[in-house]
Amino acid sequence: MTTRYLLIKHLSLGFGVLLKRENPDIGKIYFAESASVKTVILSHPYLSVAENINLSKFVSLGLYEGLFDQQTKIAAQEYLDNHIKDMHVSENECYGSIVDGHEHQFRITIDSNSFVNLSCTCNTNLPCKHLYAVFVAMKKLINPKANDERLVAPSSKGNEFKDALERFLYVRSADNLSLVSKLSSQLVNMDKVKAFIETLVPFYQRGQYKARVISDILAPLYFSNKNRENLISLEEEETNEQILLLLDEAGTYYQNTLCREYDRKGGDTKKANLYHILLTPDCDGLVSLLKHAEDNYNEERLASQVMVEYLKYQDLTIENIASLKDCYLFQINHHYYMNDLLNSPMKNRLSGYLLFFDELPLDENKIKQIPLEYFLKVAPYSDDKSHYIQIAHTYYDSLKEEDLPLLVELVIGICLQHEYIDERTIRLTIELAKRIPHGSFLMELVENNIRRPRKSKSN
């Protein structure tokens, strides 16, 4: 049984779904923005058939909400967890099966005429509780962070991994580099590893997902020494045959395929090389990848993605920061990812603050938490060295003797970068010249870079 609903766009009321045609000229339309049903003249000049709307937009706007009554929504809650199988989502189509005693097939499409077509093989009248459960599952895939206002069953053990796995396996366009790096950062102990594997087994048992579970999810995690040791330990103590089979296949694929591909070094953008960079971690490999990809647009996008995933979860040394700031692709691309990076685990790391210091506003509270020597070490690689004068001047009394050469280098860099030298830099230079042998050359250097106003000629 198939039910069809027409998608409508009203100039002032937004997108809607034609629920019922009262007569040729009047219809009941559900509008998502106001979450209300209105009776509208279908020949209204502000009303037209919606164009260029895909399934993702249909779901994210909540247009499906008006198709289901409250009783159906409540009945659907028992199918929101572990009942939907083999769901496939593309731009204008979603299909799969859902278990309710028997296995029912469902399909949701939006055709070229802007009709949304709903079908389910259950015997109830459409739209049924199964389809509503599918829409809720799709909304979680499209926006995992969205607050779900409907009645949803409590999260069970391992669901922190389940959402990520479903999004990757069900949405065809998903990429596994971000998934692998995120999973690796979450597998912090044996309990987490066991919960993750238990969540992975049901996907492994489904024929069409089996290969991807092995090659694109579990086997790459073996590149991390920590993960590999935990997975091997789990295999030694586990008795569940399915888990043992899963781990054995993943370990074999890692050894026989991924390791060999990495050892051959067939190319900088080979997946095995990218996994190694993300999980080893290997900043030198990342720098090499960024430099290799400078002249190729497709490889540039891939290298930038690897850079972002690496920076989210790895702590950098001063040497790593210097190498990255020297990469052309980092210089031109990192601005696009600032929000993404600074809302990731990186925001709690000293290296993240130092790496993006030039783009961040000076915050005295943050500055006080970070040792001065770290700023002095990273200052030579800064795009605007004058930022560091405030810090150096504030904490000058706590400077160690071995820090003075770095401070001299900072002052020289400022003189080379700027024509105008401010009063704070001059005061710092005077104090510095007193503490180092033959420091008068610094005074001369600063003097030559001070821009003084011209004196007016007297008559």
Side-chain angles (χ1 to χ4, degrees), residues 367-414:
I367 289 170
K368 290 175 182 177
Q369 298 171 14
I370 301 174
L372 177 60
E373 56 265 27
Y374 276 84
F375 284 113
L376 293 176
K377 288 177 182 177
V378 81
Y381 309 101
S382 171
D383 297 328
D384 186 357
K385 294 175 172 53
S386 62
H387 280 314
Y388 293 86
I389 288 298
Q390 176 180 342
I391 303 163
H393 188 270
T394 303
Y395 301 107
Y396 182 78
D397 292 337
S398 62
L399 277 173
K400 301 173 184 176
E401 200 68 31
E402 57 266 27
D403 294 331
L404 296 181
L406 287 170
L407 193 54
V408 169
E409 187 176 351
L410 174 62
V411 172
I412 293 173
I414 291 172

Side-chain angles (χ1 to χ4, degrees), residues 433-434 436-445:
K434 292 177 183 178
I436 62 172
H438 312 291
S440 57
F441 80 95
L442 276 176
M443 293 299 301
E444 295 174 8
L445 185 64

